[in-house]
């Protein structure tokens, strides 16, 4: 059982590093867009990027899927140091609210929170290397 748990953690860490090392797209959506068509285009672009992130060829074990989905849902909730531009971590209140909004059962939230922290620790050095 110890080996399996270690393998599971390693796979989650590998998934976070894989996500953090992805090329950053230059597409930026103007949040001030007033036209509903602009918002529809922005939503379509966002959904396409999310689908691409989920299906980019990195294998995910079924037991890690929910933690990875939550980690990806938090991809815009990273705190950054305004002076250095370094990533500091994921906003803790965002994690809690995302787990609730995504319908994660209360009894699973602590485990998934710990998995997200593990992934955050693995992603930070890669993000800050860029």
């Amino acid at each position: 059982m110890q080996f399996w748990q270690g393998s599971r953690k390693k796979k989650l860490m590998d998934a976070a590093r894989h996500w953090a090392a992805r090329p950053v797209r230059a597409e930026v959506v103007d949040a001030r867009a007033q036209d509903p068509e602009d918002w529809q285009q922005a939503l379509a672009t966002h959904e396409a990027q999310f689908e691409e992130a989920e299906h980019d060829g990195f294998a995910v074990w079924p037991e890690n899927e929910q933690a990875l989905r939550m980690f990806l849902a938090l991809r815009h909730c990273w705190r950054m140091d305004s002076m250095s531009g370094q990533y500091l971590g994921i906003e803790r209140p965002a994690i809690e609210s995302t787990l609730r909004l995504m319908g994660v059962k209360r009894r699973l939230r602590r485990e998934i929170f710990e998995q997200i922290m593990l992934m955050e620790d693995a992603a930070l050095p890669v993000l800050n290397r860029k």
Side-chain angles (χ1 to χ4, degrees), residues 14-78:
D14 289 344
R17 288 186 194 107
H18 179 77
W19 171 83
R22 81 211 181 288
V24 178
R25 289 193 174 186
E27 299 171 12
V28 177
V29 177
D30 186 357
R32 297 168 292 176
Q34 298 296 316
D35 187 11
E37 288 181 17
D38 291 343
W39 280 108
Q40 287 177 335
Q41 179 60 39
L43 181 59
T45 301
H46 171 76
E47 288 174 350
Q49 288 174 352
F50 188 73
E51 285 294 316
E52 183 181 305
E54 286 186 316
H55 300 98
D56 68 354
F58 187 86
V60 177
W61 290 357
E63 58 268 18
N64 292 337
E65 186 175 346
Q66 191 169 26
L68 180 61
R69 285 187 176 279
M70 295 305 107
F71 183 79
L72 291 175
L74 291 159
R75 68 192 172 283
H76 296 294
C77 298
W78 287 80

Side-chain angles (χ1 to χ4, degrees), residues 104-115:
V104 175
K105 293 179 182 174
R106 190 177 288 244
R107 63 183 167 78
L108 298 175
R109 289 181 192 165
R110 183 183 189 119
E111 178 184 356
I112 292 174
F113 176 82
E114 291 171 357
Q115 292 171 325

Side-chain angles (χ1 to χ4, degrees), residues 7-21 58-59 68 118-119 122-123 126:
S7 297
R8 182 177 180 190
K9 286 181 180 180
K10 183 181 182 316
K11 195 67 174 166
L12 277 172
M13 292 169 67
D14 289 344
R17 288 186 194 107
H18 179 77
W19 171 83
F58 187 86
L68 180 61
L118 183 71
M119 296 174 77
V126 178

